[in-house]
Amino acid sequence: MKKVMIGNHAVSWGVQRARVEVISAYPITPQTQIVEELSDMCADGRLPARYIKVESEHSAMAACIGASAAGVRTFTATSAQGLALMHELLHWAAGGRLPIVMADVNRAMAPGWNIWTDQNDSLSQRDTGWIQLYCETNQEVFDTTIQAFRLAETVNLPVMVILDAFFLSHTSEPVELTDQEIVDEFLPKRVAQYKLDPADPHAFGALVRPDAYMEMRWQQQEAMRETLTLMPEIDEAWAELTGRRYGAIENYRTEDAELLLVTSGTITSTARHVVDERRERGEAVGLVKVKMFRPFPTGALREALAGADRVAVLDRNISPGHGGIFAEEIRSALYDVPLEDRPRLFGYVLGLGGRDVTPAVIDSIVDRTWSADQAERQDLWVGVEL
Amino acid sequence: MSDITEPNRTGRDIPPIAISRTTTEVNPTGSWKYIQPRYEDRVAPCNAGCPVGIDIEGYLYLLGQGRTAEAAALLLEENPMPAVTGRVCHHPCEDGCNRANLDEPVAIHSVERRLGDIALAGPAPTPPETLRDERVAVIGSGPAGLAAAYHLARLGYRVTVFEAAPEAGGMLRLGIPEYRLPRAILDRQIDRIAALGVDIRCSTAIGRDIEWSELDEFDAVFAAPGAHVGKDARIESSDAAPTIRAGLEFLKEVNAGARPALGDHVIVVGGGNTAMDCARSALRLGSVVTVLYRRTPLEMPAIPQEVKEAKLEGVGFQFLATPAAARVEDGRLLGIECQRMELGPPDDSGRRRPMPVEDGRFSMIADFVLTAIGEDCDLAFLPDGVEITGGVATVDELCESTTARVFVGGDAADLPRSVADALGSGKRAALGIDQWLREQAGEDPGELDVAALRFGASGNVSIARKRGTDPLHRAAPVNEVVEFDGMNPVHFKPAARNEDHFHSAGDISASFGEVNFGLSDREMSDEVERCMNCGVCNRCELCLIFCPDMAIHRREDGEGFEIDLRYCKGCGLCAAECPRGAMAMSREES
């Protein structure tokens, strides 16, 4: 069934198809429509789940942790300050190895108060132990939400499904809503390895001494490592059923490219357009889209980027005092590439707080990247006027 | 993550998460507590407000559980005629309903009516297997007499009811119009009482058809003759006016099937239910009807719904007015002179006393005047030893009069004059007679603690609690009415009350068919769901859900919960979260 819907509702429908059993959430712009639609689904019976109302995002995540620990499929959604308020519990979810799926609608952090998109909210949670998947289209949002549960429940790690505020959350696109039977085949009922059981009561999350703590962290890291190979496999399994695949990264017209753009989120769609135009003009420009940020697909990115002459990373985020976060991670990944294959890296910071990133903006970046010998500074800010 | 140092594989078993190796049952957290919770039912305000003494909350609970037959049984334990009261009771149960603090009271009367109709369709009751030797005479087959007969018969007594009128029912048949209480319902309800072995002898008035002395063969007598003598409205008249009549006499005629022509303009004097019944009956006979009431709508004793329906049907009202003199010409009533009134200071009833306004005379056209300003009892048939004060017999709380063997109740005792109060009176009389007869028989029935049988401090008694026949087998509650403040309303969602469906008021002329159709099944279950079960555990399981120690368990018999005090650490969450105030905390008992 194909329906025209906003990105937020694509999340809701993904959750519905995934037969989620417990939802706990607190509203925040621009996420609210996700859980509004879900509460309607719970009320009218389209989704036989328990919807737990709470008084904050901290409580929402706490309720999800409880429910997930009880062995059921669990979902929440948030944005920006709401995600920041969850911070402590993001560690509890990941350290408890609970396969919670959360949608984060990327919104700039306040102050100044701003409801528009950038990636600093999710990237601030980089080290909490959550898998992070960035989406480009509403269809990808729907598909990724379903895939996220299978991924989370296979490796026992929580997954953040991330979409841009307004450019996806509030923009309508046609979405193929995969039939329930197909989703059921892809995503069976969750079977929890450990769960709260009154018949065999155990304490969860209690004291772990130095002699075992590091071993637990090792196992968490191994699960992340497993995810690097598992995520593309799950994506492929979904593609076999639906014909739609995305990959941890996607190479777009990268063959023999001398200049590669690296993007994530909706900037990717704009950048595809620019790449097509440049290719028509005979320029060797290509695009690498990064979907999975954690675990970081270091090997795949090295393979994709090594050999190119120049790499321009477009970061809709900033690590204050350092640079664009994707750019710095990629710079680090390329360090082990032999010097002769190592591209020159240009880290552009742009589009913060929802500022438009138009084809003209990306054109200017391409021109600038062609013309410079090397980046004159670590972070190249685009369009700042003072 | 490409260069990973592999760990030394030493065979240590470290789980991926922080989980205790042993069960947490090794830590009996109950040792931490100094206070502990307990389940303790209290009294719902509906129960305390019911003059019949019905466990309303109990049958609503059973209906909510889908246990309809048991709900009907519980209702019938206390009320012999729910299909009647569901239609005509003034439902004071709803006045105290805590739900009013959230949105609106539960429509208890509508549920009772529906459940009463369901019970009517069920098998008729049968007499008890073993009967006692004693015989009891009941005078009057109104609600008080029939209630006493019903409960006495169920207690095993042989009951004979003497009724002056040709058919049983008392004021239910003579006073209440058919459009409020269809005769088929009343007949079937009375048939079920007769099915218990009660012998009902109609057209048999004491002092008219048989003498009091003929009752000597009975071991006890319960007199519930009702109040059948309309008070005189004292309308001055120079000439006899045959069309000024007691409203009750008119109602009796109409209710017996007569359809008298009253003329174009009818004035009904009074503001009670008899006045409303007269007005609406006269309207159905084709007259233009005006009710004359000396106070304001606020002081009217009639059931508000009756007043509302009367207005909808087209009855006119003149408030703050009283009839003073009739204008009669050639023996024909032309109209009445009325006196305009105003309200002065409160009188004995607590209502503001109406006072005449100077120069406040006005006249109204009237072909017929029906007076309905109250009724008196005719107690002349009672033996001399029965003390009469203020027109009613002096009795104790179990209806025992000042003469041995004689009990008096219903309108003939000092009670609010309602069907429900009469039913409650008959039940208390049955308890009193049972107690008295057992004492006479040399049994030792023990002291009857009436207060312990009451719902709350002032509610009526529960005979099921006395007899131990409550199908819920609940322990007697703490006899304290739960108020809204003692509950936790956050767990209740607002839901609008379902109102009865009424016949369209447009077409009532000449029709005495029932005007109130009650609720649908769906609406009834919605109302059942709206009940908050104040003060009583309804197995909602919130205590179990909120207990952080999982120390609360469902009992194996399905009736409630038990608290595992080895693990309850006395946090009090269960009692605080209980939506209905049915849990309490107290110091730990060793």
Side-chain angles (χ1 to χ4, degrees), chain A residues 330-352:
Chain A
I330 288 167
R331 198 192 306 278
S332 161
L334 295 176
Y335 186 79
D336 291 334
V337 174
L339 207 53
E340 60 273 23
D341 288 337
R342 196 186 300 166
R344 284 175 273 186
L345 190 136
F346 298 76
Y348 294 97
V349 174
L350 74 177
L352 301 185

Side-chain angles (χ1 to χ4, degrees), chain A residues 96 201-203 205 211 218-219 225, chain B residues 4 7 12 14 18 20 22-24:
Chain A
H202 286 267
D211 66 347
W218 165 264
Q219 292 180 75
R225 198 163 56 121
Chain B
I4 293 168
R12 286 178 78 197
I14 306 284
S20 65
T22 62
T23 155
T24 49

